[in-house]
Coordinates of all heavy atoms in Angstrom, one line a residue:
M1 N 217.6 -43.5 75.5 CA 217.0 -42.5 76.3 C 215.5 -42.4 76.0 O 215.1 -42.3 74.9 CB 217.6 -41.1 76.1 CG 217.0 -40.0 76.9 SD 217.5 -38.4 76.4 CE 219.2 -38.3 77.0
K2 N 214.7 -42.4 77.0 CA 213.2 -42.2 76.9 C 213.0 -40.7 77.0 O 213.8 -40.0 77.8 CB 212.4 -42.9 77.9 CG 212.4 -44.4 77.7 CD 211.4 -45.0 78.7 CE 211.4 -46.5 78.5 NZ 210.5 -47.2 79.5
T3 N 212.1 -40.1 76.3 CA 211.8 -38.7 76.5 C 210.3 -38.4 76.8 O 209.5 -39.2 76.3 CB 212.2 -37.9 75.2 OG1 211.5 -38.4 74.1 CG2 213.7 -38.0 75.0
Y4 N 210.1 -37.4 77.5 CA 208.7 -37.0 78.0 C 208.6 -35.5 77.6 O 209.2 -34.7 78.2 CB 208.6 -37.2 79.5 CG 208.8 -38.7 79.9 CD1 210.2 -39.1 80.1 CD2 207.8 -39.6 80.1 CE1 210.4 -40.4 80.4 CE2 208.1 -40.9 80.4 CZ 209.4 -41.3 80.6 OH 209.6 -42.6 81.0
P5 N 207.7 -35.2 76.7 CA 207.5 -33.8 76.2 C 206.9 -32.9 77.3 O 206.0 -33.3 78.0 CB 206.7 -33.9 75.0 CG 205.9 -35.2 75.1 CD 206.8 -36.1 76.0
K6 N 207.4 -31.7 77.3 CA 206.8 -30.6 78.1 C 206.9 -29.3 77.3 O 208.0 -28.7 77.2 CB 207.5 -30.5 79.5 CG 207.0 -29.3 80.3 CD 205.6 -29.5 80.8 CE 205.1 -28.5 81.8 NZ 203.7 -28.7 82.2
E7 N 205.8 -28.9 76.7 CA 205.9 -27.7 75.9 C 207.0 -27.9 74.8 O 207.0 -28.9 74.2 CB 206.0 -26.4 76.7 CG 204.8 -26.2 77.6 CD 205.0 -25.1 78.6 OE1 205.8 -24.2 78.4 OE2 204.3 -25.2 79.7
E8 N 207.9 -26.9 74.7 CA 208.9 -27.1 73.6 C 210.1 -27.9 74.0 O 211.1 -28.0 73.2 CB 209.3 -25.7 73.0 CG 210.2 -24.9 73.8 CD 209.5 -24.1 74.9 OE1 208.4 -24.4 75.3 OE2 210.1 -23.2 75.5
I9 N 210.2 -28.3 75.2 CA 211.3 -29.1 75.7 C 210.9 -30.6 75.9 O 209.7 -30.9 75.9 CB 212.0 -28.5 76.9 CG1 211.0 -28.6 78.1 CG2 212.5 -27.1 76.6 CD1 211.6 -28.3 79.4
K10 N 211.9 -31.4 76.2 CA 211.6 -32.8 76.6 C 212.4 -33.1 77.9 O 213.6 -32.6 78.0 CB 211.9 -33.8 75.5 CG 211.1 -33.6 74.3 CD 211.5 -34.7 73.3 CE 210.7 -34.6 72.0 NZ 211.6 -34.1 70.9
I11 N 211.9 -33.9 78.7 CA 212.6 -34.5 79.8 C 213.3 -35.8 79.3 O 212.5 -36.6 78.8 CB 211.7 -34.8 81.0 CG1 211.0 -33.6 81.5 CG2 212.6 -35.4 82.2 CD1 209.8 -33.9 82.4
G12 N 214.6 -35.9 79.4 CA 215.2 -37.1 79.0 C 215.5 -38.0 80.2 O 215.8 -37.5 81.3
W13 N 215.3 -39.3 80.0 CA 215.5 -40.2 81.1 C 216.4 -41.4 80.7 O 216.0 -42.1 79.7 CB 214.1 -40.7 81.6 CG 214.0 -41.9 82.4 CD1 213.4 -43.1 82.1 CD2 214.6 -42.1 83.7 NE1 213.5 -44.0 83.1 CE2 214.3 -43.4 84.1 CE3 215.4 -41.3 84.5 CZ2 214.7 -44.0 85.3 CZ3 215.8 -41.9 85.7 CH2 215.5 -43.2 86.1
Q14 N 217.5 -41.6 81.4 CA 218.4 -42.7 81.1 C 218.5 -43.6 82.3 O 219.3 -43.3 83.2 CB 219.8 -42.1 80.7 CG 219.7 -41.3 79.4 CD 221.0 -40.6 79.2 OE1 221.3 -39.5 79.7 NE2 221.9 -41.2 78.4
P15 N 217.6 -44.6 82.4 CA 217.5 -45.4 83.6 C 218.8 -46.0 84.1 O 219.0 -46.2 85.3 CB 216.5 -46.4 83.3 CG 216.3 -46.4 81.8 CD 216.7 -45.0 81.3
E16 N 219.7 -46.3 83.1 CA 220.9 -47.0 83.5 C 221.9 -46.1 84.3 O 222.8 -46.5 85.0 CB 221.7 -47.5 82.3 CG 222.2 -46.5 81.3 CD 221.2 -45.9 80.4 OE1 220.0 -46.2 80.5 OE2 221.6 -45.1 79.5
K17 N 221.6 -44.8 84.3 CA 222.4 -43.8 85.0 C 221.9 -43.5 86.4 O 222.6 -42.9 87.2 CB 222.5 -42.5 84.2 CG 223.4 -42.6 83.0 CD 223.6 -41.2 82.4 CE 224.6 -41.2 81.2 NZ 224.8 -39.8 80.7
C18 N 220.6 -43.9 86.7 CA 220.0 -43.5 87.9 C 220.6 -44.1 89.1 O 220.8 -45.4 89.1 CB 218.5 -43.8 87.8 SG 217.6 -43.4 89.3
T19 N 221.0 -43.4 90.1 CA 221.6 -43.9 91.3 C 220.5 -43.9 92.5 O 220.9 -44.2 93.6 CB 222.8 -43.0 91.8 OG1 222.4 -41.7 91.8 CG2 223.9 -43.2 90.8
H20 N 219.3 -43.7 92.1 CA 218.2 -43.8 93.1 C 218.3 -43.0 94.3 O 218.0 -43.4 95.4 CB 217.9 -45.3 93.5 CG 217.8 -46.2 92.2 ND1 216.6 -46.2 91.5 CD2 218.6 -47.0 91.6 CE1 216.8 -47.0 90.5 NE2 218.0 -47.5 90.5
S21 N 218.9 -41.8 94.1 CA 219.0 -40.8 95.2 C 217.6 -40.3 95.7 O 217.5 -39.8 96.8 CB 219.8 -39.6 94.7 OG 219.1 -38.9 93.8
A22 N 216.6 -40.4 94.8 CA 215.3 -39.9 95.0 C 215.1 -38.4 95.2 O 214.1 -37.9 95.6 CB 214.7 -40.6 96.2
N23 N 216.2 -37.7 94.8 CA 216.0 -36.2 94.8 C 214.8 -35.8 94.0 O 214.1 -34.9 94.4 CB 217.3 -35.6 94.1 CG 218.5 -35.6 95.0 OD1 218.6 -36.4 95.9 ND2 219.5 -34.8 94.7
C24 N 214.6 -36.4 92.8 CA 213.5 -36.0 92.0 C 212.2 -36.2 92.6 O 211.2 -35.4 92.6 CB 213.6 -36.6 90.6 SG 213.7 -38.5 90.7
V25 N 212.0 -37.4 93.3 CA 210.8 -37.8 93.9 C 210.5 -36.9 95.1 O 209.3 -36.5 95.3 CB 210.9 -39.3 94.3 CG1 209.6 -39.7 95.0 CG2 211.1 -40.2 93.1
K26 N 211.5 -36.6 95.9 CA 211.3 -35.7 97.1 C 211.0 -34.3 96.7 O 210.3 -33.6 97.3 CB 212.5 -35.8 98.0 CG 212.7 -37.2 98.7 CD 213.9 -37.2 99.5 CE 214.3 -38.6 99.9 NZ 215.7 -38.7 100.2
G27 N 211.7 -33.9 95.6 CA 211.6 -32.4 95.2 C 210.4 -32.1 94.4 O 209.9 -30.9 94.5
L28 N 209.9 -33.0 93.6 CA 208.8 -32.7 92.8 C 207.9 -34.0 92.6 O 207.8 -34.6 91.6 CB 209.3 -32.2 91.4 CG 208.4 -31.3 90.5 CD1 207.9 -30.1 91.3 CD2 209.1 -30.9 89.3
S29 N 207.2 -34.3 93.7 CA 206.5 -35.6 93.8 C 205.3 -35.7 92.9 O 204.9 -36.8 92.5 CB 206.1 -35.9 95.2 OG 205.3 -34.9 95.7
A30 N 204.8 -34.5 92.4 CA 203.7 -34.6 91.5 C 204.1 -35.1 90.1 O 203.3 -35.6 89.4 CB 203.0 -33.2 91.4
V31 N 205.3 -34.9 89.8 CA 205.8 -35.2 88.4 C 206.5 -36.6 88.4 O 206.3 -37.4 87.5 CB 206.8 -34.1 87.9 CG1 207.5 -34.5 86.6 CG2 206.0 -32.8 87.8
F32 N 207.4 -36.8 89.4 CA 208.2 -38.0 89.5 C 207.6 -39.0 90.4 O 207.7 -38.9 91.6 CB 209.6 -37.7 89.9 CG 210.3 -36.7 88.9 CD1 210.4 -35.3 89.2 CD2 210.7 -37.1 87.6 CE1 211.0 -34.4 88.3 CE2 211.3 -36.2 86.7 CZ 211.4 -34.9 87.1
K33 N 206.9 -40.0 89.8 CA 206.1 -41.0 90.6 C 206.7 -42.4 90.3 O 206.2 -43.0 89.3 CB 204.7 -40.9 90.3 CG 204.0 -39.6 90.7 CD 202.6 -39.5 90.2 CE 201.9 -38.3 90.7 NZ 201.4 -38.3 92.1
P34 N 207.7 -42.9 91.0 CA 208.3 -44.1 90.6 C 207.4 -45.3 90.6 O 207.8 -46.3 89.9 CB 209.5 -44.2 91.6 CG 209.1 -43.3 92.8 CD 208.2 -42.2 92.2
K35 N 206.3 -45.3 91.2 CA 205.4 -46.5 91.2 C 204.5 -46.5 89.9 O 203.8 -47.5 89.7 CB 204.6 -46.5 92.4 CG 205.4 -46.8 93.7 CD 204.6 -47.0 94.9 CE 205.5 -47.3 96.1 NZ 204.9 -47.0 97.4
D36 N 204.5 -45.4 89.2 CA 203.6 -45.3 88.0 C 204.3 -45.8 86.8 O 205.5 -45.8 86.7 CB 203.1 -43.9 87.8 CG 202.1 -43.4 88.8 OD1 201.8 -44.2 89.8 OD2 201.6 -42.3 88.7
Q37 N 203.5 -46.1 85.8 CA 204.1 -46.5 84.5 C 203.3 -45.8 83.4 O 202.1 -46.1 83.2 CB 204.0 -48.0 84.3 CG 204.6 -48.5 83.0 CD 206.1 -48.2 82.8 OE1 206.8 -48.3 83.8 NE2 206.4 -47.9 81.6
P38 N 203.8 -44.8 82.7 CA 205.1 -44.2 82.8 C 205.2 -43.4 84.2 O 204.2 -43.0 84.7 CB 205.2 -43.3 81.6 CG 203.8 -42.9 81.3 CD 203.0 -44.1 81.6
W39 N 206.4 -43.2 84.6 CA 206.6 -42.7 86.0 C 206.8 -41.2 86.0 O 206.7 -40.6 87.1 CB 207.8 -43.4 86.6 CG 209.2 -42.9 86.2 CD1 209.7 -43.2 85.0 CD2 210.1 -42.1 86.9 NE1 211.0 -42.6 84.9 CE2 211.2 -41.9 86.1 CE3 210.1 -41.5 88.2 CZ2 212.4 -41.2 86.5 CZ3 211.2 -40.8 88.6 CH2 212.3 -40.6 87.7
I40 N 207.0 -40.5 84.8 CA 207.1 -39.1 84.8 C 205.8 -38.5 84.3 O 205.3 -38.8 83.2 CB 208.3 -38.7 83.9 CG1 209.6 -39.3 84.5 CG2 208.4 -37.2 83.8 CD1 210.9 -39.0 83.7
H41 N 205.3 -37.5 85.0 CA 204.1 -36.8 84.6 C 204.3 -35.3 84.4 O 204.1 -34.5 85.3 CB 203.0 -37.0 85.8 CG 202.7 -38.4 86.0 ND1 201.6 -39.1 85.4 CD2 203.3 -39.4 86.8 CE1 201.6 -40.3 85.8 NE2 202.6 -40.5 86.7
P42 N 204.8 -34.9 83.2 CA 205.2 -33.5 83.0 C 204.0 -32.5 83.1 O 204.2 -31.4 83.3 CB 205.7 -33.5 81.6 CG 205.9 -35.0 81.2 CD 205.0 -35.8 82.1
E43 N 202.8 -33.0 83.0 CA 201.6 -32.1 83.1 C 201.4 -31.6 84.5 O 200.6 -30.7 84.6 CB 200.4 -32.9 82.5 CG 199.8 -34.0 83.4 CD 200.5 -35.3 83.3 OE1 201.6 -35.4 82.7 OE2 200.0 -36.3 83.8
N44 N 202.0 -32.1 85.5 CA 201.7 -31.8 86.9 C 202.6 -30.7 87.5 O 202.5 -30.4 88.7 CB 201.8 -33.0 87.7 CG 200.7 -34.0 87.5 OD1 199.7 -33.6 86.8 ND2 200.8 -35.2 87.9
A45 N 203.4 -30.0 86.7 CA 204.2 -28.9 87.2 C 204.6 -28.0 86.0 O 204.4 -28.3 84.8 CB 205.5 -29.4 87.8
S46 N 205.0 -26.8 86.3 CA 205.4 -25.8 85.3 C 206.7 -26.3 84.6 O 207.5 -27.1 85.2 CB 205.6 -24.4 85.9 OG 206.8 -24.4 86.7
K47 N 206.9 -25.8 83.4 CA 208.2 -26.1 82.7 C 209.4 -25.7 83.6 O 210.4 -26.5 83.7 CB 208.2 -25.4 81.4 CG 209.4 -25.7 80.6 CD 209.3 -25.1 79.2 CE 209.5 -23.6 79.3 NZ 209.6 -22.9 78.0
Q48 N 209.3 -24.5 84.2 CA 210.5 -24.0 84.9 C 210.7 -24.9 86.2 O 211.9 -25.2 86.5 CB 210.3 -22.6 85.3 CG 211.6 -22.0 85.9 CD 212.7 -22.0 84.9 OE1 212.6 -21.5 83.8 NE2 213.9 -22.6 85.3
A49 N 209.7 -25.3 86.8 CA 209.8 -26.2 88.0 C 210.5 -27.5 87.6 O 211.3 -28.0 88.4 CB 208.5 -26.4 88.7
I50 N 210.1 -28.0 86.5 CA 210.7 -29.3 86.0 C 212.2 -29.1 85.6 O 213.1 -29.9 86.0 CB 209.9 -29.8 84.8 CG1 208.6 -30.3 85.2 CG2 210.7 -30.9 84.1 CD1 207.6 -30.6 84.1
I51 N 212.5 -28.0 84.9 CA 213.9 -27.7 84.6 C 214.7 -27.6 85.9 O 215.8 -28.1 86.0 CB 214.0 -26.4 83.8 CG1 213.4 -26.6 82.4 CG2 215.4 -25.9 83.7 CD1 213.2 -25.3 81.6
D52 N 214.2 -26.9 86.9 CA 215.0 -26.7 88.1 C 215.2 -28.0 88.8 O 216.3 -28.3 89.4 CB 214.2 -25.7 89.0 CG 214.2 -24.3 88.5 OD1 215.0 -24.0 87.6 OD2 213.4 -23.5 89.0
Q53 N 214.2 -28.9 88.8 CA 214.4 -30.2 89.5 C 215.3 -31.1 88.7 O 216.1 -31.8 89.3 CB 213.0 -30.8 89.7 CG 213.0 -32.1 90.6 CD 213.6 -31.8 92.0 OE1 213.1 -30.9 92.6 NE2 214.6 -32.5 92.4
V54 N 215.2 -31.1 87.4 CA 216.1 -32.0 86.6 C 217.5 -31.6 86.9 O 218.4 -32.4 86.9 CB 215.7 -31.9 85.1 CG1 216.8 -32.4 84.2 CG2 214.4 -32.6 84.9
A55 N 217.8 -30.3 87.1 CA 219.1 -29.8 87.3 C 219.7 -30.3 88.6 O 221.0 -30.3 88.8 CB 219.2 -28.3 87.3
K56 N 218.9 -30.8 89.5 CA 219.3 -31.3 90.8 C 219.5 -32.8 90.8 O 219.9 -33.4 91.8 CB 218.3 -31.0 91.9 CG 218.2 -29.5 92.1 CD 217.1 -29.1 93.1 CE 217.0 -27.6 93.2 NZ 215.7 -27.3 93.8
C57 N 219.3 -33.5 89.6 CA 219.6 -34.9 89.5 C 221.1 -35.2 89.6 O 221.8 -34.7 88.7 CB 219.0 -35.5 88.2 SG 219.4 -37.2 87.9
P58 N 221.6 -35.9 90.6 CA 223.1 -36.0 90.8 C 223.7 -36.9 89.8 O 225.0 -36.8 89.6 CB 223.2 -36.5 92.2 CG 221.9 -37.2 92.5 CD 220.8 -36.5 91.7
S59 N 223.0 -37.8 89.2 CA 223.6 -38.8 88.3 C 223.7 -38.4 86.8 O 224.3 -39.1 86.0 CB 222.9 -40.1 88.5 OG 221.6 -40.0 87.9
G60 N 222.8 -37.5 86.4 CA 222.7 -37.2 85.0 C 221.7 -38.1 84.3 O 221.5 -38.1 83.1
A61 N 220.9 -38.9 85.1 CA 219.9 -39.7 84.5 C 218.8 -38.9 83.9 O 218.2 -39.3 82.9 CB 219.3 -40.7 85.6
L62 N 218.4 -37.8 84.6 CA 217.4 -36.8 84.1 C 218.2 -35.7 83.4 O 219.1 -35.1 84.0 CB 216.6 -36.3 85.2 CG 215.6 -37.2 85.9 CD1 215.0 -36.6 87.1 CD2 214.5 -37.7 84.9
T63 N 217.7 -35.3 82.2 CA 218.3 -34.2 81.5 C 217.2 -33.5 80.8 O 216.1 -34.0 80.6 CB 219.3 -34.7 80.4 OG1 218.8 -35.7 79.6 CG2 220.6 -35.2 81.1
I64 N 217.5 -32.3 80.4 CA 216.5 -31.5 79.5 C 217.0 -31.6 78.1 O 218.2 -31.3 77.8 CB 216.4 -30.1 80.0 CG1 215.8 -30.0 81.4 CG2 215.6 -29.2 79.0 CD1 214.4 -30.5 81.5
V65 N 216.1 -32.0 77.2 CA 216.5 -32.1 75.8 C 215.7 -31.0 75.1 O 214.5 -30.9 75.2 CB 216.1 -33.5 75.2 CG1 216.5 -33.7 73.8 CG2 216.6 -34.6 76.1
Q66 N 216.4 -30.2 74.3 CA 215.7 -29.1 73.6 C 215.0 -29.6 72.4 O 215.4 -30.5 71.8 CB 216.7 -28.0 73.2 CG 217.5 -27.4 74.4 CD 216.6 -26.6 75.3 OE1 215.6 -26.0 74.8 NE2 216.9 -26.4 76.6
Ligands
SF4_1 S1 217.2 -37.5 91.0 FE1 218.2 -38.6 89.3 S2 219.5 -40.1 90.3 FE2 218.0 -39.5 91.8 S3 216.3 -40.9 91.6 FE3 215.8 -39.1 90.3 S4 216.6 -39.7 88.3 FE4 217.5 -41.1 89.7

């Protein structure tokens, strides 16, 4: 799992689980930019907005790590 820090939490990313639904990209495009490397930009949204969007990932590829 790769992790991306945001304040006291981290966004966890497990690429092998991603089903490419693009929910994250459509829901929070400032943070989730699949053409970038790295592709997650936690600085571009509030912690709560990120938590809410991660909760909508249908595959479990995105998680919040405390
Ligand atoms: S919402 Fe989850 S499954 Fe969909 S593209 Fe993003 S990481 Fe992958």
Side-chain angles (χ1 to χ4, degrees):
M1 178 191 285
K2 289 187 181 175
T3 59
Y4 301 82
K6 176 66 174 178
E7 299 172 23
E8 76 278 18
I9 63 167
K10 295 185 183 105
I11 304 165
W13 163 238
Q14 295 172 274
E16 68 279 8
K17 289 189 177 179
C18 179
T19 53
H20 306 286
S21 68
N23 287 19
C24 55
V25 178
K26 291 178 195 156
L28 205 55
S29 60
V31 172
F32 300 103
K33 295 176 177 279
K35 291 182 180 164
D36 287 5
Q37 181 62 38
W39 75 288
I40 297 179
H41 299 268
E43 69 278 13
N44 290 344
S46 71
K47 182 178 72 174
Q48 191 59 54
I50 290 170
I51 290 170
D52 291 348
Q53 188 60 52
V54 165
K56 295 175 187 163
C57 174
S59 68
L62 290 172
T63 52
I64 295 297
V65 185
Q66 297 293 333

